Amino acid sequence: LAEEIARHVIEHKPDSARGFLTLGLAISEKDASEAKRYLQKALQLDSRLSGAYFGLGIISQREGKLENAKSEYLKVLALEPKLTEAHCNLGNVLRQLGDLEAAIKHYSVAIERGDKRAEIYGNLAVAYMELGQLSKAMEFFETAIALDPNIPEIRRNRAMGLLKGGKLVEGFIEYKNRWQTKHFANVLRNWTVPEWDGTTIKSTKVLVHFEQGLGDAIHFCRYIPLLAQLGVEVLVECPAPLFRLMQKLDGISHLST
């Protein structure tokens, strides 16, 4: 509807900056290239349209062009320094660029301006965790979860904090929330057998499979011999680059990729 209205406005008023702004924002997800053209046209007509810079920032951020996104969000804040959404988005971009202290500054400004969304506290927690300030990170994770306990990304990130802090049992329980996140949901496999929960093994066979990076696989494969010592047949599915390495590991009954 917004796209249709905007096209109607532009048809009857081809110098309408807000018409081009609305159209660019309306189609930004389905046609980023065309959206950028309309947003830039809007700025040619009115260089103080903060919404156009914001839209260009979002598109650049989606495309992974982080320096461009940073530049656009700074232009937004030069015009509207109190716009909390711009502070949040800029904080995310800065964190991805590795400028953690600057990211924390912008998250904090958004909170001070009254934006109390759980996602902001969650992102602030991650920035502190990446900065090495784990206790402060955990405080903000708790605040985020108190505001909304049903955001899987926050729960998954909190799990990483718990694990970093040595709280392994609580951390691995919390880490199960990763399967609800967008990334892990896409790689979730539907098993026809129950998952082992770490208690007494009631089966004669256990499949150990690797779900993440090679480093994680190497780190955790040391527990396979201990599992074999429980008297079960251990079947292992590993990444192809690690096949030869895993062949040297004791306790594996069958190895596949």
Side-chain angles (χ1 to χ4, degrees), residues 218-248:
I218 294 171
H219 178 62
F220 285 100
C221 72
R222 58 186 166 148
Y223 295 106
I224 290 174
L226 297 178
L227 181 58
Q229 289 173 18
L230 297 178
V232 296
E233 186 179 352
V234 182
L235 315 177
V236 175
E237 179 188 271
C238 76
L242 297 182
F243 186 82
R244 291 179 62 188
L245 178 64
M246 293 297 167
Q247 283 181 315
K248 301 176 182 179

Short mmCIF file of all heavy atoms in Angstrom, two decimals, residues 218-248:
data_model
loop_
_atom_site.label_atom_id
_atom_site.label_comp_id
_atom_site.label_asym_id
_atom_site.label_seq_id
_atom_site.Cartn_x
_atom_site.Cartn_y
_atom_site.Cartn_z
N ILE A 218 37.55 -29.96 17.17
CA ILE A 218 38.82 -30.41 17.74
C ILE A 218 38.80 -30.28 19.27
O ILE A 218 39.29 -31.16 20.00
CB ILE A 218 39.99 -29.62 17.14
CG1 ILE A 218 40.12 -29.94 15.65
CG2 ILE A 218 41.29 -29.91 17.86
CD1 ILE A 218 41.11 -29.05 14.90
N HIS A 219 38.22 -29.20 19.74
CA HIS A 219 38.18 -28.94 21.19
C HIS A 219 37.38 -30.01 21.93
O HIS A 219 37.81 -30.50 22.98
CB HIS A 219 37.58 -27.56 21.44
CG HIS A 219 37.46 -27.19 22.88
ND1 HIS A 219 38.54 -27.08 23.71
CD2 HIS A 219 36.37 -26.92 23.64
CE1 HIS A 219 38.14 -26.75 24.93
NE2 HIS A 219 36.82 -26.65 24.91
N PHE A 220 36.23 -30.39 21.39
CA PHE A 220 35.34 -31.28 22.13
C PHE A 220 35.50 -32.76 21.81
O PHE A 220 34.95 -33.61 22.51
CB PHE A 220 33.88 -30.85 21.91
CG PHE A 220 33.51 -29.61 22.68
CD1 PHE A 220 33.48 -28.38 22.05
CD2 PHE A 220 33.22 -29.68 24.03
CE1 PHE A 220 33.16 -27.23 22.76
CE2 PHE A 220 32.90 -28.54 24.74
CZ PHE A 220 32.87 -27.31 24.11
N CYS A 221 36.26 -33.08 20.76
CA CYS A 221 36.41 -34.50 20.43
C CYS A 221 37.17 -35.26 21.51
O CYS A 221 37.13 -36.49 21.57
CB CYS A 221 37.09 -34.67 19.08
SG CYS A 221 38.85 -34.26 19.07
N ARG A 222 37.84 -34.56 22.41
CA ARG A 222 38.59 -35.23 23.49
C ARG A 222 37.68 -35.99 24.45
O ARG A 222 38.16 -36.82 25.22
CB ARG A 222 39.40 -34.18 24.27
CG ARG A 222 38.55 -33.06 24.87
CD ARG A 222 39.41 -31.99 25.49
NE ARG A 222 38.64 -30.78 25.75
CZ ARG A 222 38.89 -29.96 26.77
NH1 ARG A 222 39.89 -30.22 27.59
NH2 ARG A 222 38.17 -28.89 26.95
N TYR A 223 36.38 -35.69 24.38
CA TYR A 223 35.45 -36.39 25.28
C TYR A 223 34.96 -37.72 24.70
O TYR A 223 34.29 -38.48 25.38
CB TYR A 223 34.26 -35.49 25.60
CG TYR A 223 34.64 -34.26 26.40
CD1 TYR A 223 34.67 -33.00 25.81
CD2 TYR A 223 35.01 -34.37 27.74
CE1 TYR A 223 35.05 -31.88 26.53
CE2 TYR A 223 35.39 -33.25 28.47
CZ TYR A 223 35.41 -32.01 27.86
OH TYR A 223 35.80 -30.90 28.58
N ILE A 224 35.27 -37.96 23.43
CA ILE A 224 34.81 -39.21 22.80
C ILE A 224 35.37 -40.45 23.50
O ILE A 224 34.62 -41.40 23.78
CB ILE A 224 35.12 -39.18 21.30
CG1 ILE A 224 34.22 -38.15 20.60
CG2 ILE A 224 34.92 -40.57 20.68
CD1 ILE A 224 34.53 -37.93 19.13
N PRO A 225 36.67 -40.52 23.80
CA PRO A 225 37.18 -41.70 24.52
C PRO A 225 36.48 -41.91 25.87
O PRO A 225 36.25 -43.07 26.28
CB PRO A 225 38.67 -41.39 24.70
CG PRO A 225 38.99 -40.46 23.57
CD PRO A 225 37.77 -39.61 23.41
N LEU A 226 36.14 -40.83 26.56
CA LEU A 226 35.45 -40.96 27.85
C LEU A 226 34.06 -41.55 27.65
O LEU A 226 33.59 -42.35 28.46
CB LEU A 226 35.35 -39.59 28.52
CG LEU A 226 36.68 -38.91 28.89
CD1 LEU A 226 36.42 -37.54 29.50
CD2 LEU A 226 37.47 -39.78 29.85
N LEU A 227 33.41 -41.14 26.56
CA LEU A 227 32.09 -41.68 26.25
C LEU A 227 32.18 -43.18 25.95
O LEU A 227 31.35 -43.97 26.42
CB LEU A 227 31.50 -40.93 25.04
CG LEU A 227 30.10 -41.34 24.56
CD1 LEU A 227 29.08 -41.22 25.68
CD2 LEU A 227 29.69 -40.48 23.37
N ALA A 228 33.21 -43.57 25.22
CA ALA A 228 33.39 -44.99 24.88
C ALA A 228 33.63 -45.82 26.14
O ALA A 228 33.23 -46.99 26.21
CB ALA A 228 34.55 -45.15 23.91
N GLN A 229 34.24 -45.21 27.14
CA GLN A 229 34.52 -45.93 28.39
C GLN A 229 33.26 -46.27 29.16
O GLN A 229 33.28 -47.10 30.07
CB GLN A 229 35.46 -45.11 29.26
CG GLN A 229 36.89 -45.03 28.73
CD GLN A 229 37.76 -44.08 29.53
OE1 GLN A 229 37.43 -43.72 30.66
NE2 GLN A 229 38.88 -43.66 28.94
N LEU A 230 32.14 -45.66 28.77
CA LEU A 230 30.86 -45.98 29.42
C LEU A 230 30.27 -47.28 28.88
O LEU A 230 29.21 -47.72 29.33
CB LEU A 230 29.87 -44.83 29.23
CG LEU A 230 30.26 -43.48 29.87
CD1 LEU A 230 29.20 -42.43 29.55
CD2 LEU A 230 30.42 -43.62 31.37
N GLY A 231 30.94 -47.86 27.89
CA GLY A 231 30.51 -49.16 27.39
C GLY A 231 29.56 -49.11 26.22
O GLY A 231 28.85 -50.09 25.95
N VAL A 232 29.53 -47.99 25.50
CA VAL A 232 28.64 -47.88 24.34
C VAL A 232 29.47 -47.82 23.07
O VAL A 232 30.67 -47.49 23.09
CB VAL A 232 27.74 -46.63 24.42
CG1 VAL A 232 26.80 -46.73 25.61
CG2 VAL A 232 28.58 -45.36 24.49
N GLU A 233 28.84 -48.14 21.98
CA GLU A 233 29.47 -48.03 20.66
C GLU A 233 29.31 -46.59 20.19
O GLU A 233 28.19 -46.09 20.08
CB GLU A 233 28.80 -49.00 19.69
CG GLU A 233 29.47 -49.06 18.33
CD GLU A 233 28.79 -50.06 17.41
OE1 GLU A 233 27.90 -50.81 17.88
OE2 GLU A 233 29.14 -50.09 16.21
N VAL A 234 30.41 -45.91 19.93
CA VAL A 234 30.38 -44.50 19.58
C VAL A 234 30.55 -44.33 18.07
O VAL A 234 31.58 -44.69 17.50
CB VAL A 234 31.50 -43.71 20.31
CG1 VAL A 234 31.40 -42.23 19.94
CG2 VAL A 234 31.39 -43.89 21.82
N LEU A 235 29.51 -43.80 17.45
CA LEU A 235 29.54 -43.50 16.01
C LEU A 235 29.80 -42.00 15.88
O LEU A 235 29.16 -41.19 16.55
CB LEU A 235 28.20 -43.85 15.37
CG LEU A 235 27.59 -45.21 15.74
CD1 LEU A 235 26.24 -45.38 15.09
CD2 LEU A 235 28.53 -46.34 15.35
N VAL A 236 30.73 -41.63 15.02
CA VAL A 236 31.12 -40.22 14.90
C VAL A 236 30.95 -39.74 13.47
O VAL A 236 31.40 -40.39 12.53
CB VAL A 236 32.58 -40.01 15.35
CG1 VAL A 236 33.01 -38.56 15.10
CG2 VAL A 236 32.74 -40.36 16.83
N GLU A 237 30.29 -38.60 13.34
CA GLU A 237 30.15 -37.91 12.05
C GLU A 237 30.93 -36.61 12.17
O GLU A 237 30.59 -35.76 12.99
CB GLU A 237 28.68 -37.63 11.76
CG GLU A 237 28.43 -36.89 10.45
CD GLU A 237 26.99 -36.47 10.31
OE1 GLU A 237 26.19 -37.26 9.79
OE2 GLU A 237 26.65 -35.35 10.75
N CYS A 238 31.96 -36.45 11.37
CA CYS A 238 32.83 -35.29 11.50
C CYS A 238 32.96 -34.53 10.18
O CYS A 238 32.67 -35.08 9.11
CB CYS A 238 34.21 -35.71 12.00
SG CYS A 238 35.25 -36.50 10.73
N PRO A 239 33.42 -33.27 10.23
CA PRO A 239 33.67 -32.52 9.00
C PRO A 239 34.76 -33.22 8.18
O PRO A 239 35.73 -33.73 8.74
CB PRO A 239 34.13 -31.16 9.50
CG PRO A 239 33.65 -31.07 10.91
CD PRO A 239 33.67 -32.47 11.43
N ALA A 240 34.63 -33.22 6.87
CA ALA A 240 35.58 -33.91 6.00
C ALA A 240 37.04 -33.51 6.24
O ALA A 240 37.93 -34.38 6.24
CB ALA A 240 35.20 -33.68 4.53
N PRO A 241 37.35 -32.21 6.47
CA PRO A 241 38.77 -31.85 6.67
C PRO A 241 39.39 -32.48 7.93
O PRO A 241 40.62 -32.52 8.05
CB PRO A 241 38.72 -30.32 6.81
CG PRO A 241 37.47 -29.91 6.11
CD PRO A 241 36.49 -31.02 6.39
N LEU A 242 38.55 -32.96 8.84
CA LEU A 242 39.06 -33.53 10.08
C LEU A 242 39.06 -35.06 10.09
O LEU A 242 39.40 -35.68 11.09
CB LEU A 242 38.24 -33.03 11.27
CG LEU A 242 38.27 -31.53 11.55
CD1 LEU A 242 37.45 -31.19 12.79
CD2 LEU A 242 39.71 -31.03 11.72
N PHE A 243 38.69 -35.67 8.96
CA PHE A 243 38.52 -37.13 8.94
C PHE A 243 39.81 -37.86 9.34
O PHE A 243 39.80 -38.75 10.19
CB PHE A 243 38.06 -37.58 7.55
CG PHE A 243 37.72 -39.04 7.48
CD1 PHE A 243 36.47 -39.49 7.90
CD2 PHE A 243 38.63 -39.97 7.01
CE1 PHE A 243 36.14 -40.84 7.84
CE2 PHE A 243 38.31 -41.33 6.96
CZ PHE A 243 37.06 -41.76 7.37
N ARG A 244 40.93 -37.49 8.75
CA ARG A 244 42.19 -38.18 9.04
C ARG A 244 42.60 -37.98 10.50
O ARG A 244 43.11 -38.90 11.15
CB ARG A 244 43.30 -37.68 8.11
CG ARG A 244 43.11 -38.11 6.65
CD ARG A 244 44.21 -37.58 5.78
NE ARG A 244 45.53 -38.10 6.19
CZ ARG A 244 46.68 -37.67 5.69
NH1 ARG A 244 46.68 -36.70 4.76
NH2 ARG A 244 47.82 -38.17 6.09
N LEU A 245 42.36 -36.79 11.01
CA LEU A 245 42.70 -36.52 12.42
C LEU A 245 41.85 -37.38 13.35
O LEU A 245 42.36 -37.99 14.31
CB LEU A 245 42.49 -35.04 12.73
CG LEU A 245 42.75 -34.61 14.17
CD1 LEU A 245 44.22 -34.80 14.53
CD2 LEU A 245 42.34 -33.14 14.37
N MET A 246 40.54 -37.47 13.06
CA MET A 246 39.65 -38.23 13.92
C MET A 246 39.93 -39.74 13.86
O MET A 246 39.63 -40.46 14.81
CB MET A 246 38.18 -37.97 13.52
CG MET A 246 37.72 -36.55 13.78
SD MET A 246 37.75 -36.11 15.52
CE MET A 246 37.55 -34.33 15.41
N GLN A 247 40.52 -40.18 12.79
CA GLN A 247 40.87 -41.61 12.69
C GLN A 247 41.87 -42.02 13.76
O GLN A 247 41.96 -43.20 14.12
CB GLN A 247 41.45 -41.91 11.30
CG GLN A 247 40.41 -42.00 10.20
CD GLN A 247 41.05 -42.31 8.84
OE1 GLN A 247 42.06 -41.72 8.46
NE2 GLN A 247 40.47 -43.27 8.13
N LYS A 248 42.63 -41.06 14.27
CA LYS A 248 43.65 -41.35 15.28
C LYS A 248 43.08 -41.33 16.70
O LYS A 248 43.80 -41.61 17.64
CB LYS A 248 44.78 -40.33 15.17
CG LYS A 248 45.46 -40.30 13.80
CD LYS A 248 46.50 -39.20 13.73
CE LYS A 248 47.15 -39.13 12.35
NZ LYS A 248 48.15 -38.04 12.27
#
